[in-house]
Amino acid sequence: MKPPDPRQTAQIEDVSWQRLDKFLFHARFARTRAIAATLIGAGCVRINRQMTEKPHAKLRPGDVLTLALPRDVLVVRVRSLAQRRGPAEEARQLYDEVKEAGPG
């Protein structure tokens, strides 16, 4: 039996996950991938409560992102991944905002 072709494996993985910097760019949290990488490198982004400083971190649907943006902290759950940066309405469909439970 032949080993799997690495190009086919990469395509399969690309459907189920996406680079964190690409997601932030496609979902319009950052104007460019370079700005997204800077935010990630500065420790402003967490995936499932785990800090990451790697723009190439794998992001999957269902993951929870915590974004420490200049004016606010935003917590979102990834709904789906996009192949391109679309209009704002399309980008908004990529995630759901998570409402944190306040003091009772």
Side-chain angles (χ1 to χ4, degrees):
M1 214 169 133
K2 282 177 33 177
D5 184 1
R7 291 173 291 181
Q8 290 177 343
T9 304
Q11 289 174 352
I12 291 169
E13 289 179 277
D14 208 17
V15 171
S16 64
W17 60 270
Q18 186 171 53
R19 287 177 56 114
L20 178 57
D21 61 339
K22 282 178 99 173
F23 179 81
L24 294 178
F25 174 65
H26 291 167
R28 295 181 167 263
F29 290 114
R31 287 183 179 233
T32 66
R33 281 182 61 188
I35 293 172
T38 301
L39 279 172
I40 297 163
C44 297
V45 181
R46 292 177 181 243
I47 301 174
N48 298 324
R49 296 187 180 196
Q50 299 294 318
M51 189 177 339
T52 182
E53 294 180 352
K54 299 178 181 179
H56 63 271
K58 292 181 180 180
L59 190 67
R60 293 174 174 82
D63 284 347
V64 175
L65 289 179
T66 305
L67 306 163
L69 300 173
R71 297 185 183 177
D72 198 12
V73 174
L74 190 61
V75 180
V76 298
R77 182 177 314 278
V78 177
R79 186 188 305 176
S80 62
L81 307 173
Q83 297 303 313
R84 67 181 186 91
R85 180 178 169 108
E89 292 175 12
E90 202 174 288
R92 180 65 181 91
Q93 300 303 312
L94 299 177
Y95 61 90
D96 292 316
E97 286 191 42
V98 176
K99 305 290 185 204
E100 293 192 35

